[in-house]
Amino acid sequence: MELVVGASEASMKSLLGKLGGILAQEYTVIRAVRGDIQYINDELATIQAFLGDLYSSPDGHDLRLKDWMKQIRDMGYDMEDCIDDFAHRVPLDSLDDAKCSFIVSRIHELWTFWPRREIAFQISELKVRAQHIAERRTRYGINNPNPTKGKSNSSSSGAGRIAEHIMSSRQLIHTSKPMGEVKDMEKLRGWLKHNVSKKHHSVLSLVGFGGMGKTTIATALYRDFRNEFDCQASVTVSQNYDEEQFLREILGQIEPKGREQQQGINTLDKKSLVADITSPVKRFLPLRWKQGSEDNSTCKIEPMNRDQHVDQANMPLEEKRDIPAGNIKPPDHSEHKNHKLEKDVQNYLAKKRYLLLIDDIWSADTWRKIRRLLPHDNTRDSRVIVTTRFKSVGAACSASDETDLMHTVEVLSSAVSESLFNHSVSRQLEPLGVACSKGDGTDHLPEIDEHTDDSGIAVNYSGSESRNSNSTSTENKEGPEEIWKYGGGLPLAIVIMAGLVACNPKQKNGYWSKVFKSLFPDQVAPLTLDGVTKILDYCYNDLPPDLKACSLYLSIFPKGMTVSRKRLIRRWIAECIVTEKQGLTAEEVAETYFDQLISRKIIRPVEHSSNGKVKYFKVHDMILEYIVSKSSEETFITVVGGHWLLPAPSNKVRRLSMQSSGSGNVSSTKGMNLSQVRSLTVFGSKKQRLPFHSFNNGIIQVLDLEGWKGLEQKHLNDICKMVVLRYLSLRRTDVRVIPSKIEKLEYLETLDIRETHVVELPECFGQHKLLRSILGGSKNPRKALKLTNKEPMKALHILSGIEITEDSVAAASLHHLTGLMKLAIYKLDIKVASETFSELLSSIEYLCSCGLQTLAINDEGSDFINSLDSMSAPPRYLISLELSGKMERPPKWIQNLNNLYKLTLSVTVLQTDTFKLVQDLPKLFSLTFTHNAENKNNNNKDILDILEENKQLTGGEIIVPPGGFKSLKLLRFFATIVPKLSFAVKTKQVMPALERIDMQFQAFEGVFGIEALQSLQEVHVSVSNQADEITRFLVGDLKDTAKFSGEEDTTKWPKIICD
């Protein structure tokens, strides 16, 4: 069965709910058409059941049935548009409670007579249309479906229902080097190491079919060698080459931007810092300090922003298309603009040895244009790595036989293919069966014991295995035998097949053999594009209807984009694609659907959050291309611009995704009927133009302009006319003021204005009775949102990024937000013992007793966080707690938070006693010590003094005590200075589950005993450019310790990654 069922059923579900609401009103419709509405409601309810039967039917479906279903869908869309238009023209509020209700209702009927009459006429037409559609099915012999129990989809559907009640385990994503053809990797590494003096850049071309592993190899090489070059950058090109975007991305990665000020890392006076730390540090220096270490001095370490969406220096190349390229303000004219960008790039690269990774070049002409942009007089032996699907393009890129190299990526061998398949299946089956969320990659060169990322980083998305386990996948025979052969050695196909098998655990091996033999009666290797499409067809048809709609929705996002999990989930809910079900909230259902898409290999996690959940994900290019074609076929989502060459839609556009095209080509909506657009998303640069005049503001429900720099203040007047808007994202735009007219958006549920210039919300926000999420402010630099409304928004579930001062009304109104699940205070500036101080403490204590799950407070000097210990009862519902500022001691009630997964504390309480306080928390997944000091002249000196005192309590070092921490997998330190840390406790186990340590600092005194951490896999280190020689030496020493340890210790040493 085609994907059309899933989206049609989702549309019917949303429409039926709205029809029920209309029928429940007494005064809203002309009585003559109430029967028409009831008829349409009953007819659509029957159609929804019919669609469900179609889904479970084993029979094929011909063009007649597909066309009939398309008519149903279009009629449903038109009916929903009619209802939404009706909702804002005729208020749905009941008038029964009004004084003199009889008189008021009569006046109301007269006042709304004409709009109700117009809508009544539309409803009558829709009733006739529904009747004709029903008659047409009989007339043309469209038979009723014949559901059978033997259909494989029944299993899948059952799996989907089970998944709604299973929450995935919290895990981490680990990086790893790709394996497979070891000799090939050695050859490519040797090419990068080979120096050719006084030579212009050399080019390595990696050629291979989509899904073969080109990006993985390229990014692994880029990651391993980037610190040996003066500057580096990686970009994705694809079919529609956008020169301006290409230049911006290059410049955004190579140009210094004073990142430490942007990241909130305070610059210490270097002489003062050295004087403070040199004395204690020298005592711990190894003997090799006297010998010198040339290797250490050449290690170039770049600073990392932990709050950045995805760290650009360590990010797969395809992820960078949605990251702003910096504060570049080009001229108005595109030609002059590109010329200036070109000169900026050439001037910066002219005298530097650079490494560029250019992914997915589709033509020799594109390469010639790119080559023209690079400096011609640079003779510092730079390197360029390119990937392409076409051998002719690779030959054009690597034209010089003397210095260039073209490498063809081959399919996986039978042994590696079998290992990859069996390992993928076994990981999916443990520990939660079909609801497992451990993501495998797709376009990759796999490593036996780790999952691999299709964007170029091998990924192990599992926290259950130690780095020392030498388990291989070949002994795991849970997967069907010989099935992996049908993948033809193509990693993408093998992993997708493994996801299909793992999510249908009740099916036996013989069943899958029959399935794949029917798909490939004449098995050939390697797999062709048509073969991959057959596998994708079967896998998608195996999805339950709800997951099909969720999958189709992914076509909104551009190719290669890194997408936020939360952004996707909020949008699913706003468009009613995911709703409450079986006692679960819409958010909980969406989370489980998201996990199912991971286990099905439709999406792949690329970055974890500190709470163990997926933060960002990607969709493989070939999978996304398939989804986009299916979505276009059903008119579920219309994509304009971007990387896809799609025909213009012949029908009305319902959901519109405007994506940036090549330079000089603005995404065009010319000739399209945009009057029924209900969801609008814009990606790209300032040159995108929105035809606001073409939209019907009365039906738009979702408006997502995140990152669109073309938004101007005047556009907000048009936005405020979208009266049924439910989701509004202006994140990372240049908007400065939210107009008071926004009070017209009475259906608004989500407002995202993070990383904008908005610092205050108008008073009218208290009138938004349905508002569930307000997301404001920014972390770097620290900005916050001031609330001015006196009337509380009682429906709020998330209030993030706010500021509370002495003259703020927010402290008192918080007490009324009893449904609040997350509260994040980015700025707090109140006086001790003031009325605001007491009100805030009382409100937080009350909210914690009502079910508050996430609390984050950044105290800039109010001493408020030190008063939290006075709360009468521990906030037992908290699962995440963040307290930053000059904390004197952590609240003692923290030890009683048995549901806590994430804990962030100020570095001022980094001491052994703090570890003892929290070591017995049963669910604690991540522990972070951080400090963000802003505009405090003496603050850094105070921090150093406090940390020195903390060390002296335990003999000059911070000792992590043995015992406890049964669930802790992530330990992080983000501060100006990280003092000496010791995990070495003889004969006792320390942090047995810890998998990763992250450290970001300007000064470092060393970390000792990490070889005793039995599950530790990675240590990520990011050092400020202001760091002194001693700190850099200690980082290099940490990185090289494994080399100088005995052979036994080497296997126990984790990977040390300098970002």
Side-chain angles (χ1 to χ4, degrees):
M1 182 57 210
E2 296 291 340
L3 273 169
V4 66
V5 172
S8 298
E9 192 172 28
S11 303
M12 295 300 106
K13 189 185 301 182
S14 171
L15 177 55
L16 286 171
K18 293 182 179 182
L19 284 171
I22 288 287
L23 290 171
Q25 304 295 319
E26 289 189 33
Y27 300 97
T28 54
V29 294
I30 294 178
R31 292 171 179 81
V33 298
R34 290 184 64 84
D36 293 345
I37 296 177
Q38 185 66 59
Y39 173 85
I40 294 174
N41 183 74
D42 296 342
E43 188 75 7
L44 291 178
T46 304
I47 288 173
Q48 185 183 26
F50 184 85
L51 290 173
D53 290 341
L54 280 176
Y55 168 72
S56 61
S57 173
D59 302 325
H61 303 286
D62 55 23
L63 295 177
R64 290 175 300 167
L65 180 56
K66 292 179 182 179
D67 184 68
W68 180 76
M69 291 174 65
K70 178 178 176 295
Q71 295 174 37
I72 292 175
R73 182 193 64 247
D74 291 343
M75 189 271 292
Y77 279 137
D78 290 342
M79 185 67 201
E80 192 169 10
D81 292 343
C82 177
I83 293 172
D84 287 339
D85 188 42
F86 177 62
H88 84 273
R89 295 177 66 187
V90 183
L92 296 180
D93 296 333
S94 177
L95 305 175
D96 290 338
D97 297 332
K99 295 180 179 180
C100 304
S101 60
F102 176 78
I103 298 176
V104 172
S105 63
R106 298 285 80 79
I107 295 174
H108 178 268
E109 286 191 14
L110 289 173
W111 185 263
T112 60
F113 176 78
W114 283 111
R116 286 187 294 115
R117 186 174 183 83
E118 289 177 16
I119 292 164
F121 178 74
Q122 294 179 34
I123 291 174
S124 298
E125 284 189 327
L126 287 167
K127 176 189 175 182
V128 174
R129 186 172 163 188
Q131 291 173 332
H132 289 168
I133 291 174
E135 293 169 358
R136 197 172 292 118
R137 184 173 74 88
T138 304
R139 186 186 314 143
Y140 292 103
I142 302 175
N143 299 322
N144 291 324
N146 181 29
T148 353
K149 295 182 180 180
K151 177 104 168 40
S152 69
N153 283 330
S154 62
S155 170
S156 176
S157 181
R161 289 192 296 269
I162 293 171
E164 292 172 5
H165 301 278
I166 300 177
M167 305 306 289
S168 64
S169 59
R170 297 172 187 265
Q171 300 168 26
L172 296 177
I173 299 175
H174 301 292
T175 60
S176 178
K177 296 179 182 179
M179 294 181 63
E181 300 299 331
V182 179
K183 292 182 180 180
D184 289 343
M185 290 301 295
E186 291 177 352
K187 171 186 173 184
L188 299 177
R189 291 177 187 277
W191 179 85
L192 277 168
K193 291 178 181 178
H194 179 62
N195 292 323
V196 182
S197 61
K198 306 241 176 165
K199 186 65 184 174
H200 188 43
H201 64 250
S202 302
V203 181
L204 167 64
S205 298
L206 299 176
V207 181
F209 184 70
M212 195 75 76
K214 306 180 299 296
T215 303
T216 297
I217 298 173
T219 310
L221 294 170
Y222 176 83
R223 188 177 67 242
D224 291 344
F225 287 91
R226 64 185 178 193
N227 284 333
E228 298 183 11
F229 292 80
D230 297 328
C231 57
Q232 58 283 133
S234 63
V235 292
T236 298
V237 176
S238 202
Q239 292 103 313
N240 289 335
Y241 168 62
D242 187 336
E243 184 171 292
E244 179 187 345
Q245 180 75 7
F246 176 84
L247 290 169
R248 286 182 177 277
E249 291 186 8
I250 293 287
L251 196 60
Q253 295 174 60
I254 64 176
E255 190 178 49
K257 299 183 177 62
R259 288 170 290 183
E260 292 174 351
Q261 282 72 18
Q262 295 178 11
Q263 295 167 3
I265 303 175
N266 293 309
T267 303
L268 291 178
D269 178 69
K270 182 172 285 192
K271 293 182 180 179
S272 174
L273 176 63
V274 172
D276 285 328
I277 70 170
T278 298
S279 178
V281 166
K282 282 186 176 179
R283 296 201 304 268
F284 311 120
L285 296 184
L287 293 177
R288 276 177 296 138
W289 169 259
K290 298 179 182 180
Q291 303 170 2
S293 176
E294 296 181 2
D295 293 338
N296 293 336
S297 63
T298 59
C299 178
K300 300 177 63 174
I301 306 168
E302 298 294 334
M304 175 184 68
N305 181 357
R306 68 181 183 278
D307 294 315
Q308 196 173 351
H309 299 301
V310 181
D311 176 32
Q312 293 190 35
N314 192 33
M315 184 171 56
L317 57 132
E318 294 173 333
E319 298 175 20
K320 300 186 176 171
R321 297 194 66 84
D322 62 318
I323 301 295
N327 300 322
I328 304 170
K329 297 182 179 179
D332 294 332
H333 302 292
S334 59
E335 291 184 5
H336 293 166
K337 176 167 50 182
N338 285 1
H339 180 71
K340 183 180 183 304
L341 290 172
E342 180 181 342
K343 288 299 181 184
D344 288 344
V345 170
Q346 289 181 348
N347 291 339
Y348 194 83
L349 295 179
K351 296 183 180 180
K352 291 181 173 59
R353 186 171 186 250
Y354 57 83
L355 173 65
L356 299 182
L357 198 167
I358 306 173
D359 187 44
D360 202 18
I361 296 180
W362 277 65
S363 70
D365 182 61
T366 298
W367 166 247
R368 284 191 288 271
K369 293 177 181 178
I370 292 174
R371 185 178 57 188
R372 177 182 56 81
L373 301 176
L374 302 179
H376 301 287
D377 54 351
N378 183 308
T379 57
R380 299 179 62 88
D381 192 27
S382 298
R383 294 286 193 273
V384 179
I385 304 173
V386 302
T387 68
T388 180
R389 299 185 184 188
F390 310 104
K391 186 168 286 189
S392 60
V393 177
C397 296
S398 300
S400 173
D401 295 334
E402 297 180 1
T403 58
D404 296 343
L405 175 66
M406 184 174 74
H407 175 76
T408 302
V409 180
E410 304 293 343
V411 297
L412 301 179
S413 65
S414 296
V416 176
S417 297
E418 183 180 9
S419 297
L420 174 62
F421 180 85
N422 289 334
H423 189 61
S424 299
V425 171
S426 65
R427 280 195 179 277
Q428 288 300 109
L429 293 176
E430 58 183 41
L432 296 177
V434 294
C436 176
S437 66
K438 304 171 184 176
D440 291 301
T442 47
D443 181 13
H444 61 290
L445 195 63
E447 184 173 39
I448 298 299
D449 62 342
E450 308 218 26
H451 294 297
T452 311
D453 178 341
D454 68 309
S455 300
I457 295 181
V459 171
N460 176 11
Y461 188 58
S462 170
S464 59
E465 293 188 13
S466 166
R467 69 174 185 276
N468 299 325
S469 61
N470 293 320
S471 61
T472 61
S473 305
T474 52
E475 72 268 20
N476 190 322
K477 297 298 181 182
E478 295 185 43
E481 296 180 1
E482 305 300 315
I483 296 300
W484 52 269
K485 289 185 177 179
Y486 291 96
L490 191 70
L492 171 65
I494 294 170
V495 172
I496 291 175
M497 292 162 60
L500 174 67
V501 172
C503 289
N504 291 275
K506 294 183 179 179
Q507 297 293 352
K508 298 181 180 179
N509 292 359
Y511 171 82
W512 293 115
S513 297
K514 292 179 181 178
V515 166
F516 288 107
K517 283 180 181 178
S518 66
L519 294 177
F520 304 103
D522 300 319
Q523 182 182 341
V524 293
L527 209 60
T528 62
L529 179 60
D530 182 61
V532 175
T533 303
K534 287 181 179 179
I535 294 176
L536 290 174
D537 263 328
Y538 190 89
C539 292
Y540 273 74
N541 293 336
D542 186 70
L543 290 171
D546 289 345
L547 282 182
K548 286 186 176 181
C550 290
S551 300
L552 283 177
Y553 201 78
L554 297 171
S555 59
I556 277 185
F557 302 104
K559 176 181 178 180
M561 179 178 175
T562 301
V563 185
S564 165
R565 172 184 60 88
K566 290 182 179 179
R567 182 183 186 184
L568 176 65
I569 285 176
R570 290 187 182 117
R571 294 193 50 158
W572 277 347
I573 295 172
E575 300 218 40
C576 297
I577 290 176
V578 175
T579 57
E580 298 177 358
K581 185 178 291 189
Q582 299 180 15
L584 298 178
T585 65
E587 288 81 5
E588 290 171 335
V589 175
E591 290 281 1
T592 56
Y593 285 172
F594 183 84
D595 291 340
Q596 277 285 289
L597 292 183
I598 292 178
S599 64
R600 294 270 183 172
K601 309 298 184 295
I602 296 172
I603 62 179
R604 173 190 49 75
V606 295
E607 185 183 350
H608 66 81
S609 180
S610 56
N611 63 7
K613 290 188 175 182
V614 173
K615 188 174 184 180
Y616 295 100
F617 70 91
K618 293 185 65 177
V619 185
H620 187 275
D621 294 351
M622 296 183 73
I623 295 178
L624 184 59
E625 184 174 2
Y626 177 88
I627 292 175
V628 168
S629 67
K630 288 294 181 183
S631 182
S632 175
E633 178 183 319
E634 194 182 352
T635 325
F636 187 68
I637 291 172
T638 301
V639 179
V640 176
H643 296 287
W644 315 114
L645 303 176
L646 298 172
S650 56
N651 299 317
K652 299 173 183 177
V653 178
R654 309 291 179 173
R655 296 180 179 91
L656 178 62
S657 174
M658 298 181 64
Q659 303 174 13
S660 61
S661 300
S663 296
N665 299 321
V666 178
S667 301
S668 176
T669 55
K670 185 177 180 180
M672 292 186 184
N673 183 354
L674 303 179
S675 63
Q676 290 185 296
V677 170
R678 344 181 30 82
S679 172
L680 173 62
T681 309
V682 180
F683 303 93
S685 59
K686 202 169 183 175
K687 64 185 179 183
Q688 289 277 30
R689 292 290 181 264
L690 285 186
F692 281 103
H693 62 279
S694 301
F695 299 121
N696 179 356
N697 292 329
I699 65 173
I700 294 182
Q701 297 182 353
V702 172
L703 181 63
D704 192 342
L705 305 179
E706 180 174 329
W708 181 51
K709 296 304 180 182
L711 181 67
E712 300 177 8
Q713 199 65 36
K714 64 181 181 180
H715 294 145
L716 292 181
N717 294 326
D718 294 301
I719 293 174
C720 290
K721 297 175 184 178
M722 300 176 182
V723 291
V724 295
L725 200 63
R726 300 178 63 185
Y727 179 97
L728 174 60
S729 177
L730 306 177
R731 186 177 185 180
R732 295 208 306 270
T733 63
D734 293 329
V735 62
R736 295 181 177 276
V737 179
I738 300 296
S740 58
K741 292 181 181 179
I742 201 170
E743 65 180 341
K744 297 179 181 179
L745 309 184
E746 57 183 289
Y747 296 94
L748 190 63
E749 296 180 1
T750 298
L751 175 66
D752 190 348
I753 50 175
R754 289 173 290 178
E755 301 169 71
T756 65
H757 302 292
V758 178
V759 296
E760 185 175 282
L761 289 180
E763 291 186 20
C764 64
F765 258 83
Q767 302 176 22
H768 288 81
K769 306 301 181 184
L770 301 179
L771 195 60
R772 294 168 59 89
S773 300
I774 295 180
L775 308 168
S778 64
K779 293 184 178 180
N780 289 310
R782 182 72 63 168
K783 294 181 181 179
L785 186 66
K786 189 175 182 180
L787 302 181
T788 59
N789 57 290
K790 297 180 180 179
E791 189 175 351
M793 297 165 281
K794 297 184 179 180
L796 269 184
H797 282 198
I798 298 175
L799 181 57
S800 179
I802 66 169
E803 175 183 9
I804 296 181
T805 58
E806 284 294 339
D807 60 346
S808 174
V809 299
S813 62
L814 286 177
H815 199 277
H816 301 281
L817 307 182
T818 55
L820 204 62
M821 305 294 288
K822 176 179 179 178
L823 173 63
I825 303 173
Y826 281 9
K827 282 191 176 182
L828 182 60
D829 190 9
I830 55 180
K831 297 179 181 178
V832 178
S834 66
E835 182 178 353
T836 304
F837 192 100
S838 302
E839 285 179 342
L840 181 59
L841 183 61
S842 174
S843 295
I844 288 179
E845 184 171 1
Y846 181 67
L847 291 176
C848 288
S849 68
C850 293
L852 187 70
Q853 293 185 353
T854 299
L855 175 63
I857 301 176
N858 179 49
D859 191 344
E860 296 187 344
S862 303
D863 205 39
F864 181 81
I865 55 176
N866 291 317
S867 69
L868 292 175
D869 209 9
S870 64
M871 291 172 57
S872 59
R876 59 185 182 277
Y877 299 110
L878 284 183
I879 62 175
S880 177
L881 177 63
E882 300 182 38
L883 302 175
S884 59
K886 198 171 179 181
M887 180 182 286
E888 297 175 0
R889 61 195 175 279
K892 293 182 180 178
W893 43 253
I894 288 181
Q895 62 186 332
N896 298 319
L897 303 182
N898 293 329
N899 293 315
L900 196 68
Y901 286 99
K902 174 183 175 181
L903 177 61
T904 300
L905 298 173
S906 172
V907 75
T908 56
V909 295
L910 175 54
Q911 54 183 271
T912 301
D913 286 345
T914 301
F915 285 108
K916 290 180 179 179
L917 180 69
V918 301
Q919 67 181 5
D920 292 326
L921 293 178
K923 297 181 180 179
L924 187 63
F925 178 89
S926 73
L927 176 60
T928 303
F929 292 93
T930 185
H931 180 68
N932 289 318
E934 296 185 357
N935 302 321
K936 305 289 184 179
N937 295 330
N938 298 322
N939 198 60
N940 290 318
K941 177 66 175 174
D942 293 341
I943 297 300
L944 293 175
D945 292 341
I946 292 172
L947 290 175
E948 188 63 30
E949 291 176 7
N950 291 346
K951 289 191 300 178
Q952 296 311 316
L953 296 174
T954 48
E957 60 184 357
I958 306 297
I959 298 176
V960 180
F965 295 110
K966 302 296 185 183
S967 301
L968 188 70
K969 295 183 179 180
L970 177 62
L971 180 62
R972 307 191 300 171
F973 303 93
F974 300 128
T976 303
I977 178 172
V978 174
K980 183 187 176 186
L981 299 169
S982 178
F983 297 90
V985 180
K986 294 182 179 180
T987 70
K988 293 185 179 179
Q989 201 174 57
V990 181
M991 294 187 173
L994 187 66
E995 295 180 1
R996 174 167 167 162
I997 298 176
D998 286 353
M999 294 184 288
Q1000 178 181 337
F1001 49 77
Q1002 181 174 329
F1004 179 56
E1005 295 184 358
V1007 55
F1008 304 89
I1010 59 175
E1011 69 277 3
L1013 301 175
Q1014 63 179 19
S1015 297
L1016 186 64
Q1017 299 181 35
E1018 296 177 3
V1019 177
H1020 288 251
V1021 180
S1022 181
V1023 185
S1024 166
N1025 285 332
Q1026 300 294 324
D1028 59 32
E1029 185 179 356
I1030 295 177
T1031 294
R1032 293 182 179 278
F1033 169 78
L1034 287 173
V1035 171
D1037 181 71
L1038 176 66
K1039 189 173 182 180
D1040 292 337
T1041 303
K1043 299 178 183 177
F1044 296 95
S1045 300
E1047 190 170 339
E1048 295 182 10
D1049 296 328
T1050 303
T1051 59
K1052 299 180 181 179
W1053 203 260
K1055 300 169 189 171
I1056 310 297
I1057 301 173
C1058 294
D1059 295 323

